[in-house]
Amino acid sequence: MFSSEARLIGLPLAAIDTPALVIDLEAMEDNIVRMGTYFATRPSKLRPHFKTHKCPILAHKQLAAGAVGVACAKVEEAEVLVAGGVLHNILIANQVVTRTKIFKLMGLNRHAEVMVCVDDSGNVAELAEAAQTFGVEIGVFVEVNVGMNRCGVDTAQAALALVRQVSNSKGLRFVGLQGYEGHDVKIVDLAQRQAAARRDIQRLIETREYIERSGIQVQLVDAGGTGTYNITGEIPGIDEIQAGSYLFGDVSYLGVLEDFRPSLSVLSTVVSRPARDRIITDMGLKAASTDQTLPQPVEVPGVQVRKLAEEHCYLAVDDPANELSVGDRIAFLPGHVCTTVNLHDRYYGVRNGLVEVVWEIAARGKSR
Amino acid sequence: MFSSEARLIGLPLAAIDTPALVIDLEAMEDNIVRMGTYFATRPSKLRPHFKTHKCPILAHKQLAAGAVGVACAKVEEAEVLVAGGVLHNILIANQVVTRTKIFKLMGLNRHAEVMVCVDDSGNVAELAEAAQTFGVEIGVFVEVNVGMNRCGVDTAQAALALVRQVSNSKGLRFVGLQGYEGHDVKIVDLAQRQAAARRDIQRLIETREYIERSGIQVQLVDAGGTGTYNITGEIPGIDEIQAGSYLFGDVSYLGVLEDFRPSLSVLSTVVSRPARDRIITDMGLKAASTDQTLPQPVEVPGVQVRKLAEEHCYLAVDDPANELSVGDRIAFLPGHVCTTVNLHDRYYGVRNGLVEVVWEIAARGKSR
């Protein structure tokens, strides 16, 4: 499959069959440089999140532009990163719980540096035991709930108890704290977003101070995302920002982010034009996610996405002059970039209208 | 990956890492037999839809239980079916539009029987030209819109015009009509569902009669789905029912179907229990879809799914006695089975608590 798709390299965009995930390489490279430039002059640094692109070569590009390390969500994602040559400073920004995954994490740490987050005492004990079995020492972040109410301990006292347990566990090395103001990153109004993120991150800063007052050094505090990189990234006491979506953008970030250009689209073909007021394309739920919002057509005025079925996108046509017909193509900005990327096996990278690269989305489907 | 997962065969369910898609083999086999028995004594026959399970061995089981052929949604799915040994009577229940896909369809027809639907005159001309280039004759269904307003022509006159074009095209063989009352199949109230399906299918029957009055024989009329198999399947003039979901079931069909047992679940692990009133598991949007409705926990009273993020399921806990903690497992009934299956690379088939098979979901992600 990949070898045959690689035959498209050098051909025009029109040669790509649909549905297909297409990167505007120039826009993506601009985004990487722009984010790198932002952090170049600040105390906080960028640890880009692998979950957005799931493709090791893009992590290498982010590292080359100044990122200090990589965040990922799952052990299997870390495996793909390591297999793709990212060997240092990987943080699984999540809890690693099952026995199989814990053993995999320890095995990886004999060949690369892969750290992990914790929020549970029993889990810390299991990690420590496995680390000792494998003869490795792994870096550990304690996760703090800053108001998203997902993972993470709720109080500074609970955080300190876990920090002490980690510090006292052979095989584990306490590195720092992680919080994620994920409920704030897509607030469209900038002043409201700033206020919400600063309020929530204060809980993380206070936890840092509480732990440091007990005499334990907190080396790193990680937080933030694409919607708060320049808010949380400017709060003293925050060391690293885990932004991912800035690379590509999506509809859910339209209005939030003006600093980055959308660089990813789902290319689609009209498969039915049964009536003047509707168009059906081949971009269904197997090619674009709808968990946050619907995709939007790029540069097709007078056309609205009504819904997606498994294999079909339903478009309502407001403009009676619209002449799109079977076989014509429409590009869509993804509704939510990370879950859309997870549906595809490869990217087609395009520059000046020509296919330049075909990249495997090597961590597609890596949910463990 | 597959060879290492196959090592689980013979081990208990607990040996499967999560998230994982688990088939209750006995329940699934019962569903296959039950549907086969229903159609054994009726004029209408079953053409099960491959899009639900995406796994050739399951198509073979359906054929062995009396199905007359297989429906699928995409050329790539047909490729997987053919590679998996299903060589006869495949219908792509959808339009095949791009040049690459049309050529693939014709290539397949030199090795197997793969039919297609049409609703556009230009598309018919392209199919005919490609069939002649390849020296094949392929079966064609004309799709009729019965009220779902997706693909399909709107009038009997338009259908007849396409039927005539197909009949007059070298390389194409007119087989029949397809309609899909997809907007009716999940109406919970049986009387309402019956009324809606009968009203909508009437448009298809009238189109059949209109075409036959013109002197052209309509060999097959396909329609229906899991929610209307025993409604549409009993309407004279309907020859084949394209049901898929009955095999596994899901939350979206709860209340609609009492004849089949849910046989598929997403196995998940508690990764965080940060507070008494909430549980976080590892079944996120990469392991379960939410496009129709949320997944539901199986046999865990007092626990409700609130939402899914990319890697996390948020559960609200109503029962203060709930003692689930990190590492415990919860099985979920998928919200929408077809899009959930599309997120996974393999099934774990379990009988009497032991893993019996590990099957590749060979058509996962085949969106072209």
Side-chain angles (χ1 to χ4, degrees):
Chain A
M1 187 59 86
F2 285 102
S3 55
S4 90
E5 291 300 296
R7 294 206 164 197
L8 296 170
I9 292 170
L11 299 184
L13 181 66
I16 302 171
D17 199 6
T18 63
L21 206 49
V22 175
I23 300 175
D24 175 339
L25 291 168
E26 194 175 284
M28 181 193 73
E29 288 164 0
D30 280 357
N31 292 342
I32 293 175
V33 169
R34 192 171 292 264
M35 191 63 106
T37 304
Y38 174 83
F39 282 102
T41 57
R42 281 179 176 73
S44 62
K45 297 298 166 199
L46 178 67
R47 179 189 291 282
H49 211 309
F50 182 64
K51 68 167 187 158
T52 300
H53 55 71
K54 303 174 173 62
C55 182
I57 193 169
L58 296 178
H60 284 292
K61 288 184 186 296
Q62 291 170 315
L63 290 164
V68 292
V70 179
C72 67
K74 293 291 176 103
V75 173
E76 285 187 333
E77 287 185 346
E79 289 177 324
V80 171
L81 276 163
V82 172
V86 178
L87 303 179
H88 304 291
N89 205 354
I90 297 169
L91 169 60
I92 301 175
N94 203 353
Q95 285 62 33
V96 171
V97 166
T98 65
R99 189 178 169 84
T100 304
K101 295 185 190 83
I102 289 172
F103 283 166
K104 282 184 167 192
L105 173 63
M106 300 309 159
L108 273 176
N109 269 281
R110 293 210 66 99
H111 305 274
E113 181 191 10
V114 185
M115 300 177 287
V116 69
C117 288
V118 299
D119 71 357
D120 178 83
S121 170
N123 184 227
V124 171
E126 289 189 298
L127 289 167
E129 189 185 334
Q132 290 165 49
T133 300
F134 276 74
V136 294
E137 183 183 82
I138 75 163
V140 174
F141 283 62
V142 171
E143 184 163 2
V144 177
N145 175 24
V146 298
M148 192 168 59
N149 296 330
R150 194 164 69 188
C151 304
V153 296
D154 278 340
T155 65
Q157 292 76 10
L160 178 59
L162 278 182
V163 169
R164 286 212 161 107
Q165 185 188 358
V166 170
S167 300
N168 293 330
S169 297
K170 191 158 176 294
L172 306 185
R173 178 171 51 86
F174 172 63
V175 177
L177 302 177
Q178 172 178 289
Y180 180 42
E181 70 285 22
H183 51 305
D184 301 330
V185 297
K186 290 180 181 175
I187 298 172
V188 173
D189 181 82
L190 176 61
Q192 283 181 29
R193 188 161 77 249
Q194 286 171 330
R198 286 172 188 154
R199 175 198 64 214
D200 290 331
I201 292 301
Q202 189 56 27
R203 293 169 66 168
L204 194 56
I205 299 298
E206 286 169 7
T207 304
R208 173 180 207 150
E209 291 167 353
Y210 183 82
I211 290 165
E212 291 186 330
R213 279 200 302 276
S214 81
I216 299 174
Q217 196 209 339
V218 178
Q219 184 191 334
L220 293 176
V221 176
D222 272 42
T226 288
T228 56
Y229 79 97
N230 57 358
I231 303 168
T232 304
E234 306 209 345
I235 296 174
I238 296 297
D239 300 294
E240 295 179 346
I241 296 294
Q242 295 177 4
S245 300
Y246 75 94
L247 190 70
F248 291 144
D250 61 23
V251 179
S252 79
Y253 269 118
L254 282 180
V256 174
L257 280 187
E258 293 168 350
D259 314 344
F260 300 93
R261 286 200 277 161
S263 67
L264 189 77
S265 58
V266 182
L267 193 62
S268 174
T269 299
V270 175
V271 293
S272 183
R273 180 77 200 262
R276 295 305 302 161
D277 63 351
R278 66 185 204 272
I279 291 172
I280 309 294
T281 91
D282 63 359
M283 181 191 67
L285 293 162
K286 283 166 56 186
S289 66
T290 58
D291 54 282
Q292 294 200 345
T293 186
L294 291 169
Q296 278 184 9
V298 179
E299 294 174 3
V300 186
V303 163
Q304 264 77 46
V305 175
R306 275 183 48 225
K307 66 173 177 176
L308 270 65
E310 278 160 76
E311 304 289 358
H312 299 94
C313 176
Y314 293 58
L315 292 164
V317 183
D318 303 331
D319 178 1
N322 183 300
E323 291 295 341
L324 282 167
S325 62
V326 171
D328 288 340
R329 290 177 174 229
I330 303 177
F332 292 85
L333 189 61
H336 179 197
V337 63
C338 308
T339 48
T340 296
V341 168
N342 189 55
L343 297 167
H344 290 262
D345 290 322
R346 66 195 75 86
Y347 295 112
Y348 300 84
V350 172
R351 195 188 310 268
N352 297 326
L354 296 183
V355 180
E356 178 174 303
V357 291
V358 179
W359 284 326
E360 184 188 3
I361 302 172
R364 193 276 323 149
K366 300 298 186 193
S367 60
R368 289 180 174 172
Chain B
M1 185 60 86
F2 285 101
S3 55
S4 89
E5 290 299 298
R7 293 203 164 199
L8 295 170
I9 293 170
L11 299 183
L13 182 65
I16 303 172
D17 199 6
T18 64
L21 207 49
V22 176
I23 300 176
D24 175 339
L25 290 168
E26 193 176 284
M28 181 193 75
E29 288 165 1
D30 280 357
N31 293 342
I32 292 174
V33 169
R34 191 171 294 265
M35 192 62 106
T37 304
Y38 174 83
F39 282 102
T41 57
R42 281 180 176 73
S44 62
K45 297 297 166 199
L46 178 66
R47 179 188 290 282
H49 210 308
F50 182 65
K51 67 165 188 160
T52 299
H53 56 71
K54 303 174 174 62
C55 182
I57 192 171
L58 296 178
H60 284 292
K61 289 183 185 298
Q62 292 169 315
L63 290 164
V68 292
V70 179
C72 66
K74 292 291 175 103
V75 173
E76 285 187 333
E77 288 185 345
E79 290 177 324
V80 171
L81 276 164
V82 172
V86 177
L87 303 179
H88 304 291
N89 205 353
I90 298 169
L91 169 60
I92 300 175
N94 203 352
Q95 285 62 36
V96 171
V97 167
T98 65
R99 189 179 169 85
T100 303
K101 295 185 190 83
I102 289 172
F103 284 165
K104 282 183 167 191
L105 173 63
M106 300 308 158
L108 274 176
N109 269 281
R110 293 209 67 98
H111 305 274
E113 181 191 9
V114 184
M115 299 177 287
V116 69
C117 287
V118 300
D119 72 357
D120 178 84
S121 169
N123 184 227
V124 171
E126 288 189 297
L127 289 167
E129 189 185 334
Q132 291 166 48
T133 301
F134 276 75
V136 294
E137 183 183 82
I138 74 163
V140 175
F141 284 62
V142 171
E143 184 162 2
V144 177
N145 175 24
V146 298
M148 191 168 61
N149 296 330
R150 193 163 70 188
C151 303
V153 295
D154 279 339
T155 65
Q157 292 75 12
L160 178 59
L162 278 181
V163 169
R164 287 212 161 108
Q165 186 188 358
V166 170
S167 300
N168 294 330
S169 296
K170 193 160 176 293
L172 306 186
R173 179 172 50 86
F174 172 64
V175 177
L177 302 177
Q178 171 178 289
Y180 180 42
E181 70 285 22
H183 51 305
D184 300 330
V185 297
K186 290 181 182 175
I187 298 173
V188 173
D189 182 83
L190 176 61
Q192 283 181 30
R193 188 161 78 250
Q194 286 171 331
R198 286 173 188 154
R199 176 199 63 214
D200 290 332
I201 292 300
Q202 189 56 28
R203 292 169 66 169
L204 194 56
I205 299 298
E206 286 169 7
T207 305
R208 172 179 209 152
E209 292 167 352
Y210 183 82
I211 290 166
E212 291 185 330
R213 278 200 302 276
S214 82
I216 298 175
Q217 196 208 338
V218 179
Q219 184 191 334
L220 293 176
V221 176
D222 272 41
T226 288
T228 56
Y229 79 97
N230 56 358
I231 303 168
T232 304
E234 306 208 345
I235 296 174
I238 296 297
D239 300 293
E240 294 179 346
I241 296 295
Q242 295 176 5
S245 300
Y246 75 95
L247 189 70
F248 291 144
D250 61 22
V251 179
S252 80
Y253 268 118
L254 283 178
V256 174
L257 280 187
E258 294 169 349
D259 315 343
F260 300 92
R261 287 200 277 161
S263 66
L264 190 77
S265 58
V266 182
L267 193 62
S268 173
T269 300
V270 176
V271 294
S272 182
R273 180 77 200 262
R276 296 304 304 161
D277 63 350
R278 65 184 203 273
I279 291 172
I280 308 294
T281 91
D282 62 0
M283 181 191 67
L285 292 163
K286 283 165 58 185
S289 66
T290 59
D291 55 281
Q292 293 200 345
T293 185
L294 291 169
Q296 278 184 10
V298 180
E299 294 173 3
V300 187
V303 163
Q304 265 77 46
V305 175
R306 275 182 49 224
K307 66 173 176 176
L308 271 66
E310 278 160 75
E311 303 290 357
H312 299 95
C313 176
Y314 293 58
L315 291 164
V317 183
D318 303 330
D319 178 1
N322 182 300
E323 291 295 342
L324 282 167
S325 62
V326 171
D328 288 341
R329 290 177 175 229
I330 303 177
F332 292 86
L333 189 61
H336 179 195
V337 64
C338 309
T339 49
T340 295
V341 167
N342 189 55
L343 297 167
H344 289 263
D345 289 323
R346 66 195 76 87
Y347 295 112
Y348 300 85
V350 172
R351 194 189 310 268
N352 298 328
L354 297 183
V355 180
E356 178 173 304
V357 291
V358 179
W359 283 326
E360 183 188 2
I361 302 173
R364 193 277 322 149
K366 300 298 187 193
S367 60
R368 288 179 174 172

